[in-house]
């Protein structure tokens, strides 16, 4: 994609505004990935969450720019955006390839680089929303100096690496502190263990973008599961 560079003043794409559920395709059936994406987008989803793991930052290896390029047109044609979550070391080496493959937002982990400020700038230069993720063990203060540089902060509500893990119960308190730290102009995304039983507490704490993987794609009816989670927000 050849987006214009972003700045702190560039408006958010509409798909990221308000309360949004971002189905994570990590839990989808990759043998029918296009159909699974169509199912949740037909149900109203506009943010597709794309989990990249390198076998280094986290043990598993998942998917990369080739798979992103395979789904990006479908998501964009349906009026949606792709939210790329990089759980990888040396994330700055990969930004350009993911932007070219169709990423709309690129989130790297604060723990994976000493150069978070430069990473945010590099992602914006590629025309994507810049996101910085923090692990459950990382204090919210780790992103304090990125205000105005990061378009969003992703607070992990499980340890990264696997779908289907139990929600960490101290997360609402952490996100409340994160919201007061970053103010209202930064998106707060939460990822891990989100479903009908947890989303209400996270919305109340100040998150607006909710990743849900197993709660959607492991459900008998992903479209219904998407609707139920949204209703519970
Ligand atoms: C885990 C990934 C998540 C994962 C969440 O490291 O970042 O996006 O898909 O899965 P659930 O919603 O099942 O906890
Ligand atoms: Zn994720």
């Amino acid at each position: 994609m050849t987006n214009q560079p972003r700045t702190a003043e560039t408006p958010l794409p509409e798909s990221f505004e308000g309360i949004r559920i971002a189905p994570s395709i990590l839990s989808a059936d990759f043998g029918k990935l296009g159909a699974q994406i169509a199912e949740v987008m037909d149900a109203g989803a506009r943010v597709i969450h794309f989990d990249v793991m390198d076998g280094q930052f986290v043990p598993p290896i998942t998917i990369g720019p080739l798979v992103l390029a395979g789904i990006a047109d479908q998501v964009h044609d349906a009026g949606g955006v792709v939210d790329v979550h990089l759980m990888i070391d040396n994330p700055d080496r990969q930004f350009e390839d993911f932007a070219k493959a169709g990423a709309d937002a690129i989130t790297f982990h604060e723990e994976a680089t000493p150069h978070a400020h430069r990473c945010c700038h590099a992602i914006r230069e590629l025309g994507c929303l810049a996101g910085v993720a923090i692990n459950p063990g990382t204090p919210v203060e780790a992103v304090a100096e990125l205000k105005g540089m990061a378009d969003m902060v992703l607070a992990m509500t499980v340890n990264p690496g696997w779908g289907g893990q139990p929600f960490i119960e101290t997360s609402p308190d952490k996100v409340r502190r994160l919201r007061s730290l970053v103010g209202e102009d930064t998106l707060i995304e939460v990822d891990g263990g989100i479903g009908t039983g947890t989303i209400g507490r996270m919305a109340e704490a100040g998150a607006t973008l909710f990743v849900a993987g197993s709660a959607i794609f492991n459900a008998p009816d992903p479209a219904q599961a998407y609707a139920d989670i949204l209703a519970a927000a």
Side-chain angles (χ1 to χ4, degrees):
M1 187 149 64
T2 51
N3 287 334
Q4 292 299 314
R6 285 186 64 82
T7 69
E9 283 73 45
T10 312
L12 277 183
E14 197 190 327
S15 296
F16 285 105
E17 281 176 4
I19 298 285
R20 297 286 178 174
I21 313 297
S24 165
I25 59 170
L26 184 64
S27 291
D29 178 347
F30 277 74
K32 46 176 186 177
L33 187 55
Q36 294 247 280
I37 290 171
E39 206 171 338
V40 291
M41 292 196 78
D42 287 348
R46 288 295 174 268
V47 183
I48 298 298
H49 187 79
F50 190 96
D51 285 304
V52 181
M53 307 186 193
D54 65 351
Q56 300 290 329
F57 182 72
V58 290
I61 296 174
T62 58
I63 47 179
L66 278 176
V67 174
L68 176 57
I71 64 157
D73 283 351
Q74 179 190 354
V75 174
H76 295 148
D77 290 349
V81 289
V82 187
D83 174 34
V84 172
H85 178 192
L86 299 179
M87 287 161 275
I88 65 174
D89 283 337
N90 300 305
D92 49 310
R93 294 183 190 167
Q94 310 298 331
F95 296 155
E96 191 172 350
D97 284 354
F98 280 97
K100 281 189 181 149
D104 298 278
I106 299 178
T107 296
F108 62 92
H109 269 262
E110 188 275 339
E111 303 85 359
T113 172
H115 301 297
H117 192 279
R118 193 175 78 202
C119 284
C120 288
H121 181 74
I123 294 168
R124 281 182 165 176
E125 281 292 299
L126 292 163
C128 298
L129 265 72
V132 55
I134 52 174
N135 281 333
T138 300
V140 296
E141 288 76 15
V143 300
E145 301 304 325
L146 300 176
K147 215 172 156 177
M149 289 301 297
D151 297 291
M152 64 183 174
V153 177
L154 188 168
M156 290 302 305
T157 44
V158 300
N159 284 291
W162 300 271
Q165 302 178 81
F167 178 78
I168 294 173
E169 293 294 332
T170 50
S171 302
D173 176 59
K174 183 175 183 180
V175 165
R176 213 166 281 120
R177 285 182 282 115
L178 181 60
R179 177 53 81 199
S180 67
L181 181 78
V182 300
E184 295 302 317
D185 293 338
T186 306
L187 284 174
I188 295 182
E189 179 173 29
V190 288
D191 185 0
I194 300 297
T196 52
T198 52
I199 194 168
R201 279 177 280 161
M202 297 313 291
E204 192 266 325
T208 59
L209 182 56
F210 303 90
V211 178
S214 56
I216 290 180
F217 289 111
N218 290 356
D221 181 348
Q224 186 60 48
Y226 167 84
D228 291 344
I229 295 167
L230 183 60

